[in-house]
Amino acid sequence: MSGQQRASIRAGLEVEIVLKQDQRTGNLTRGVVKDILTNSANHPHGIKVRLEDGQVGRVKNIIG
């Protein structure tokens, strides 16, 4: 599932995000959502979240 809709993302979900430094390579990082940082209902590059380990990036895939 895509991470462009804020309504489909909530704390506790396992997701794959792209970190700022990985945007050129597209390297994905997997983790569990702690906070949702994007306020708008949707975002074309993915909703920005903070993972439980503190990393911040945009959601590319929702695992479950």
Side-chain angles (χ1 to χ4, degrees):
M1 197 183 327
S2 172
Q4 296 179 345
Q5 301 295 322
R6 190 178 195 275
S8 62
I9 298 170
R10 63 185 188 280
L13 274 183
E14 187 175 3
V15 295
E16 288 181 328
I17 66 168
V18 62
L19 302 172
K20 182 75 172 178
Q21 64 266 26
D22 293 334
Q23 284 178 347
R24 288 182 183 270
T25 64
N27 191 23
L28 297 177
T29 303
R30 187 178 284 208
V32 177
V33 175
K34 181 178 180 183
D35 300 310
I36 300 173
L37 304 178
T38 299
N39 289 324
S40 61
N42 53 33
H43 192 284
H45 300 296
I47 300 298
K48 189 179 280 188
V49 298
R50 178 180 295 116
L51 300 181
E52 288 184 341
D53 63 3
Q55 297 183 95
V56 174
R58 296 197 179 272
V59 176
K60 292 299 175 189
N61 299 307
I62 299 172
I63 308 301

